[in-house]
Amino acid sequence: MFRSETDTEVLAHLIEAFGGEIDQAVRQALTVIQGTYGIVVIDARQPDRLVAGRNGSPVVVGVGEREMFIASDVAALVRHTEQVLYLDDHEVAVLDAGGYRTVTLDDQPTTKAPATIQWGHEAYDRGEHEHFMLKEILEQPDACERTLKGRLDLQFSTAHLGGLNLTPRDLLDIKRIKILGCGSAFYSGIGGAHLLEALTRVPADAEAASEFRYRNPVIEKDCLYIAVSQSGETADTLAAVHEVQRKGGRVLGIVNVVGSSIARACGGGIYIHAGPEVSVASTKVFTCTLVAFALLALYLGRIRDLSPAAGRRLIDGLQKLPDQMREILRGLDHIRAVADKYATRDNAFYIGRANGYPVALEGAQKLKEIAYVHAEAYPASELKHGPLALVCPETPTFVVLPRDHLYEKSLSSLEEIRARRGPVIAVTQAGDERLAGRVDDMLVVPPTEDELNPILLTLPLQLIAYYAAVRLGRDVDQPRNLAKSVTVE
Ligand code: AGP
């Protein structure tokens, strides 16, 4: 009946029809609205009252001293209050300065107590850094320590993961692992699948959550699904979680933001504890997600056939990571010089083999996102099946080259590029005298356990993208066309 009116006019009519009861009018409107929304309504005639509702998009209520707030992200509230509550889908909050109440669309009260936010406003400050992205790259050693804190069990060479909500017997029954996430979270899932399969011998793979949800996937009861998300609010990942659960599957979350929609929907999993990530480009959460996957792989592996000695080897490797990250981050000047050298090229290739491949994907993703340079990532073995035709002196290739059992094979890919006079930048570990004469530039990281290589190899590529973007004068923290949380389909 309101077809020719705007949404605002429709609401105004409804408020009138409900005798000025704005919350009734909003609840009535929301019963017919389709699709996702996060909405807050104020009636100019009753400016002391706010009504908010959500379906799919985040709405956070901040509870202050005789003042209340509404935002879509807790980051907007941290300067005003430490007490917040997260609305659930089809829930409505009615606020005035003195307090709040939450109800369902049919006006049944929902009992919601506010929770204390995890990070104070200082954690959201840029400090002395020019960009949040650089701050967050430099925070990685501390963030990694937080991901590991209290989770390594030296006595039994395993991990403590209190929030899984699955018994060892449940975990023994798992026959497959499927990881779901979008963008960089998906790429960390590819790395996670490598780690899990290597250490548990359970077949594992990763899929883009944005595709998974649309292909009517078969859900297996002995498959463990894992949803990965920094924000915990990515609509496609949340929808994938719901799709699995609707069909009776079990999903764990690996999530950074405590209390976020995906964390709550999963009901069990691992918090990454990397701290707030403000820059649109994910950096510290990517590497800390890989650390969380290593902990999960260690835990699952030790329930199965991973020996105590192998568990101990992984623990030693994990404990060394923060200091090894610090070592990489001491080399900023060299990485910046390499970035400056190639920043103005139109294209770049990134190649990596096996667990080097997600590193290549993430390196290319960072360059595309913030420097707006066309970059493509390929498994090194795929180069000869097509992209080699594009290798030329103008296009640099970043070769992810850990010194693992595939090193010699990757060297032959490197030679194929050199033979076409393509510039080669090796992201590698020291120790091969032959390499210096065979590459144009080298970005060196310390040696670690093979399974943990992707974590350290990612750091130089984050910095390459960052310095290239700075050199090209891009808006590093808020690149064009992108949002930090993608809460729409
Ligand atoms: C990462 O740099 C990107 N901004 C993007 O790919 C991001 O990882 C993706 O949108 C998923 O976000 P989430 O981790 O918050 O779910």
Side-chain angles (χ1 to χ4, degrees):
M1 78 183 179
F2 297 123
R3 224 165 256 161
S4 60
E5 296 169 302
T6 64
D7 295 348
T8 321
E9 286 165 340
V10 173
L11 267 171
H13 277 291
L14 277 170
I15 293 169
E16 228 166 87
F18 282 101
E21 291 301 327
I22 177 175
D23 54 315
Q24 283 188 38
V26 172
R27 282 190 288 101
Q28 177 65 31
L30 296 184
T31 55
V32 291
I33 286 178
Q34 291 180 356
T36 55
Y37 56 80
I39 183 175
V40 56
V41 179
I42 187 166
D43 178 359
R45 292 161 299 188
Q46 322 174 47
D48 56 348
R49 178 168 289 205
L50 294 172
V51 181
R54 73 161 268 176
N55 183 34
S57 299
V59 174
V60 193
V61 175
V63 181
E65 293 271 325
R66 298 181 51 75
E67 54 181 359
M68 302 288 293
F69 307 87
I70 294 186
S72 60
D73 193 308
V74 77
L77 302 177
V78 289
R79 292 193 173 277
H80 307 286
T81 179
E82 291 183 343
Q83 298 295 306
V84 298
L85 54 98
Y86 299 89
L87 282 198
D88 285 318
D89 284 348
H90 311 298
E91 190 177 36
V92 167
V94 185
L95 324 178
D96 57 31
Y100 70 92
R101 65 191 173 87
T102 52
V103 292
T104 58
L105 289 185
D106 52 2
D107 205 21
Q108 298 305 309
T110 55
T111 25
K112 272 258 156 90
T116 305
I117 54 171
Q118 206 191 359
W119 299 94
H121 65 87
E122 322 75 42
Y124 293 84
D125 282 344
R126 194 154 40 81
E128 83 248 24
H129 302 288
E130 203 184 334
H131 299 102
F132 276 106
M133 183 177 174
L134 182 59
K135 174 183 180 243
E136 288 159 8
I137 289 173
L138 298 177
E139 277 172 356
Q140 283 176 109
D142 294 347
C144 177
E145 274 167 0
R146 281 195 298 273
T147 308
L148 291 173
K149 193 170 175 198
R151 286 168 162 171
L152 294 176
D153 178 338
L154 303 187
Q155 188 184 0
F156 295 105
S157 302
T158 183
H160 288 300
L161 295 170
L164 296 184
N165 295 335
L166 292 172
T167 64
R169 182 168 288 264
D170 293 333
L171 294 167
L172 264 185
D173 288 341
I174 291 165
K175 301 274 185 298
R176 252 169 60 76
I177 299 170
K178 165 76 96 184
I179 301 163
L180 302 165
C182 295
S184 294
F186 166 43
Y187 303 151
S188 69
I190 298 175
H194 278 287
L195 260 164
L196 284 161
E197 192 161 311
L199 294 168
T200 67
R201 304 316 296 151
V202 176
D205 72 338
E207 182 173 343
S210 48
E211 284 295 308
F212 176 84
R213 61 176 294 201
Y214 289 114
R215 64 169 182 82
N216 191 21
V218 173
I219 302 301
E220 297 161 293
K221 70 174 180 345
D222 46 13
C223 177
L224 177 65
Y225 295 85
I226 302 175
V228 183
S229 178
Q230 186 288 127
S231 62
E233 301 295 349
T234 300
D236 285 322
T237 310
L238 184 58
V241 170
H242 289 151
E243 175 74 2
V244 174
Q245 291 174 333
R246 190 178 62 75
K247 292 177 169 174
R250 200 165 23 194
V251 197
L252 290 179
I254 296 189
V255 176
N256 194 40
V257 177
V258 174
S260 56
S261 300
I262 293 171
R264 283 180 295 140
C266 289
I270 305 173
Y271 276 123
I272 298 165
H273 295 314
E277 197 179 64
V278 176
S279 182
V280 164
S282 187
T283 51
K284 61 178 178 175
V285 171
F286 180 85
T287 46
C288 288
T289 304
L290 291 174
V291 173
F293 271 119
L295 289 168
L296 182 62
L298 174 63
Y299 180 67
L300 292 184
R302 291 286 295 121
I303 287 174
R304 290 165 177 261
D305 296 329
L306 193 72
S307 69
R312 184 67 218 204
R313 174 181 67 76
L314 202 73
I315 288 177
D316 288 347
L318 285 165
Q319 286 177 317
K320 286 183 192 142
L321 285 177
D323 279 340
Q324 292 178 317
M325 289 176 167
R326 290 186 181 99
E327 190 180 327
I328 297 169
L329 296 172
R330 282 196 283 272
L332 295 187
D333 290 345
H334 171 64
I335 301 174
R336 183 174 199 151
V338 175
D340 283 349
K341 184 168 164 187
Y342 299 103
T344 55
R345 304 293 172 101
D346 291 334
N347 303 291
F349 275 128
Y350 288 71
I351 61 168
R353 208 174 274 268
N355 70 4
Y357 178 50
V359 179
L361 283 166
E362 178 60 5
Q365 165 94 330
K366 292 281 90 81
L367 195 71
K368 281 184 275 209
E369 273 191 298
I370 58 161
Y372 315 153
V373 173
H374 172 235
E376 287 207 53
Y378 276 93
S381 50
E382 279 289 296
L383 204 59
K384 57 187 173 299
H385 297 292
L388 205 50
L390 290 173
V391 170
C392 61
E394 288 74 42
T395 302
T397 300
F398 291 85
V399 181
V400 180
L401 195 62
R403 302 211 55 203
D404 58 14
H405 64 290
L406 296 170
Y407 181 75
E408 292 296 330
K409 287 230 168 291
S410 299
L411 275 187
S412 62
S413 308
L414 187 152
E415 287 302 335
E416 285 169 0
I417 298 161
R418 267 170 37 96
R420 277 105 193 147
R421 294 189 297 120
V424 171
I425 306 99
V427 190
T428 189
Q429 284 126 356
D432 181 359
E433 303 285 307
R434 299 167 297 167
L435 201 57
R438 296 162 88 171
V439 299
D440 295 84
D441 291 283
M442 259 203 278
L443 303 168
V444 175
V445 305
T448 178
E449 299 304 322
D450 285 359
E451 299 89 340
L452 305 179
N453 272 330
I455 299 168
L456 296 181
L457 291 163
T458 298
L459 270 66
L461 293 180
Q462 295 170 338
L463 286 158
I464 287 287
Y466 172 73
Y467 285 123
V470 170
R471 169 76 196 268
L472 295 168
R474 309 301 193 214
D475 186 349
V476 171
D477 286 331
Q478 287 176 310
R480 66 186 183 199
N481 309 337
L482 298 176
K484 183 63 182 161
S485 300
V486 186
T487 57
V488 291
E489 290 184 17

